[in-house]
Amino acid sequence: MDEATRQKLVNKLVRRLEGLSGLHDRDVIDLTLLGRQLFQLVCTQEAWSLACSLTDEEREARRLLIRLHDPDRWRKDSAESEEKRRNLLEERLVEAFLGEGVSSPRLLDSLIDVACLPHFIGFVRDRAGFKDARPSGGRVKVLD
């Protein structure tokens, strides 16, 4: 993906994040609805294109940094049932959204990184239209 296309996609998604932030700041949407909306955002074609534009090495490095940041959470999240992991994905997206503060490309990267973790990516990839997409290579291994 060329840089101009990437920047257009980032700008479009950041504007959506700003809209969600405004709605949340005015208490129009609660945390549950915010989580659902963030999940919808990371499941868009634009977000998926940004995620797929990363090299395998960069994706693996980001995954390892997240895992090293909180290994206990990683183990707990990856050991949960599918239904609980789906709910956890929304919770983790809300945490990333509230933790960054300002809607920015950095926040967008954080949200996409969370959605692309091996124990969450299936929920994003299995959304309508992404079934034929290239798999990320992320798998939960026995040692995880």
Side-chain angles (χ1 to χ4, degrees):
M1 168 182 312
D2 64 18
E3 190 58 36
T5 304
R6 181 176 175 77
Q7 193 58 43
K8 284 180 187 177
L9 293 176
V10 168
N11 290 339
K12 181 177 181 178
L13 292 170
V14 167
R15 282 194 306 275
R16 286 185 64 185
L17 286 173
E18 289 169 352
L20 286 173
S21 179
L23 291 172
H24 177 66
D25 290 345
R26 291 189 303 269
D27 292 327
V28 174
I29 58 175
D30 63 354
L31 293 179
T32 304
L33 186 55
L34 178 63
R36 287 188 202 132
Q37 290 300 310
L38 291 171
F39 175 70
Q40 293 296 322
L41 184 129
V42 298
C43 289
T44 61
Q45 183 64 44
E46 294 87 0
W48 185 254
S49 296
L50 288 175
C52 290
S53 71
L54 298 175
T55 64
D56 289 339
E57 292 81 17
E58 186 176 1
R59 189 176 304 121
E60 183 66 20
R62 289 179 178 199
R63 190 176 299 138
L64 287 173
L65 283 173
I66 293 171
R67 184 176 182 181
L68 288 173
H69 179 70
D70 194 348
D72 292 332
R73 175 185 267 186
W74 180 282
R75 272 188 229 100
K76 182 181 174 290
D77 288 356
S78 63
E80 294 292 347
S81 67
E82 182 176 349
E83 182 179 324
K84 288 183 181 179
R85 282 186 289 121
R86 172 63 174 81
N87 293 330
L88 278 172
L89 172 56
E90 290 181 7
E91 290 175 24
R92 299 300 181 248
L93 290 171
V94 168
E95 287 174 12
F97 182 82
L98 297 177
E100 289 292 329
V102 178
S103 298
S104 66
R106 183 176 176 195
L107 170 59
L108 181 60
D109 284 341
S110 295
L111 294 173
I112 291 172
D113 288 345
V114 168
C116 288
L117 291 176
H119 42 275
F120 294 140
I121 193 154
F123 302 116
V124 176
R125 191 175 48 234
D126 290 344
R127 297 283 299 174
F130 299 129
K131 293 183 192 291
D132 297 328
R134 177 179 68 91
S136 70
R139 299 176 194 262
V140 178
K141 299 175 184 147
V142 175
L143 299 176
D144 288 346

